[in-house]
Amino acid sequence: MSATERLAEFACGLSLERVPETTRNSARAAMLDAVACAIAGRDERVTRELRGFALEQGSHPRASLWGTGVRVSPALAALVNGTAAHALDFDDVSWAMNGHPTVPLLPAAFALAEALGRSGAELLRAYVVGFEVQARLGQALGKPHYERGWHATSTLGVFGATAASAVLLGLDASALRRAFGIATSRASGTRGNFGTDAKPLHAGLAARAGLEAAELARRSVTAREDALEMEM
């Protein structure tokens, strides 16, 4: 079984009952922390500009921009909330991932769960799945990925957002592998942009790209199912 197959089978097969209560409590705390960080960052200039951008798009208002009372499309909510949650750089860190795990992941999952009317338990399961996918990829790539200039919050966060979104959409393992293939073409983020608005934007872009990758795979858009493992 390939690495992508293992990730997809894990993501689609994990039940919340198999997740220890201590892990669930840690996940809940991380989720609450990310929302709090986003509310704290909602009035930062980059967040205000993105909120204005989202409102100009005229999308179907099905997902909330945290702490504002404003609703936009799920993809745009993921973009804005992800950026807001990373705007002050106080969000959580995973040393397995070598990045900030929750800010690209939760905004995508939360927006979809809200739009689809999913339960808190379903959101929690999706979050745990996405976190584990990011962490496992981070462990596989190790510190050299970050040391070479990539921002793992974005480059790996997109796969966590994809996995969590796929779980909420009910995709099977084959569709998730295609979603990972699509996400591979969206994975980006350079540390060269640290110190600019693009740094927190990385989290929002990854959240949006992961949500869209899962949505496109659901609509039968094709991609290499082994894109994560290709050498060229």
Side-chain angles (χ1 to χ4, degrees):
M1 184 179 289
S2 71
T4 306
E5 288 172 334
R6 287 178 182 273
L7 283 176
E9 291 293 337
F10 162 78
C12 294
L14 182 70
S15 66
L16 197 56
E17 290 72 25
R18 291 173 52 198
V19 179
E21 187 60 31
T22 54
T23 301
R24 292 188 226 176
N25 288 337
S26 294
R28 293 185 188 104
M31 293 162 71
L32 182 60
D33 176 78
V35 175
C37 286
I39 292 173
R42 66 186 168 183
D43 291 324
E44 292 297 299
R45 184 181 56 79
V46 63
T47 308
R48 295 198 311 270
E49 293 298 334
L50 279 177
R51 188 159 58 241
F53 167 78
L55 290 172
E56 287 175 358
Q57 302 309 298
S59 60
H60 295 292
R62 297 188 295 140
S64 301
L65 300 184
W66 297 335
T68 69
V70 175
R71 291 163 66 88
V72 294
S73 72
L76 288 171
L79 173 67
V80 178
N81 289 334
T83 302
H86 199 41
L88 296 174
D89 219 351
F90 291 152
D91 45 297
D92 60 354
V93 173
S94 165
W95 297 118
M97 178 189 176
N98 288 306
H100 300 263
T102 304
V103 289
L105 163 59
L106 182 64
F110 198 107
L112 262 186
E114 182 179 7
L116 298 172
R118 300 291 189 250
S119 68
E122 289 172 305
L123 174 60
L124 180 61
R125 176 190 169 222
Y127 174 86
V128 172
V129 165
F131 190 105
E132 286 294 317
V133 166
Q134 294 172 161
R136 293 181 187 201
L137 288 173
Q139 288 177 319
L141 291 175
K143 290 184 178 179
H145 180 70
Y146 186 83
E147 292 167 351
R148 289 170 181 159
W150 299 110
H151 188 198
T153 300
S154 182
T155 58
L156 302 185
V158 65
F159 296 103
T162 299
S165 299
V167 166
L168 289 163
L169 289 168
L171 301 191
D172 61 20
S174 177
L176 178 50
R177 291 196 299 272
R178 285 190 287 106
F180 281 148
I182 296 169
T184 302
S185 289
R186 303 288 300 277
S188 62
T190 171
R191 288 170 57 206
N193 268 325
F194 282 17
T196 74
D197 289 340
K199 203 265 191 179
L201 181 60
H202 286 170
L205 290 172
R208 177 177 183 170
L211 187 156
E212 290 176 341
E215 284 277 20
L216 291 171
R218 182 176 69 87
R219 294 173 181 273
S220 301
V221 173
T222 64
R224 288 284 300 245
E225 295 188 11
D226 60 350
L228 270 172
E229 300 150 76
M230 292 179 65
E231 295 184 5
M232 58 178 293

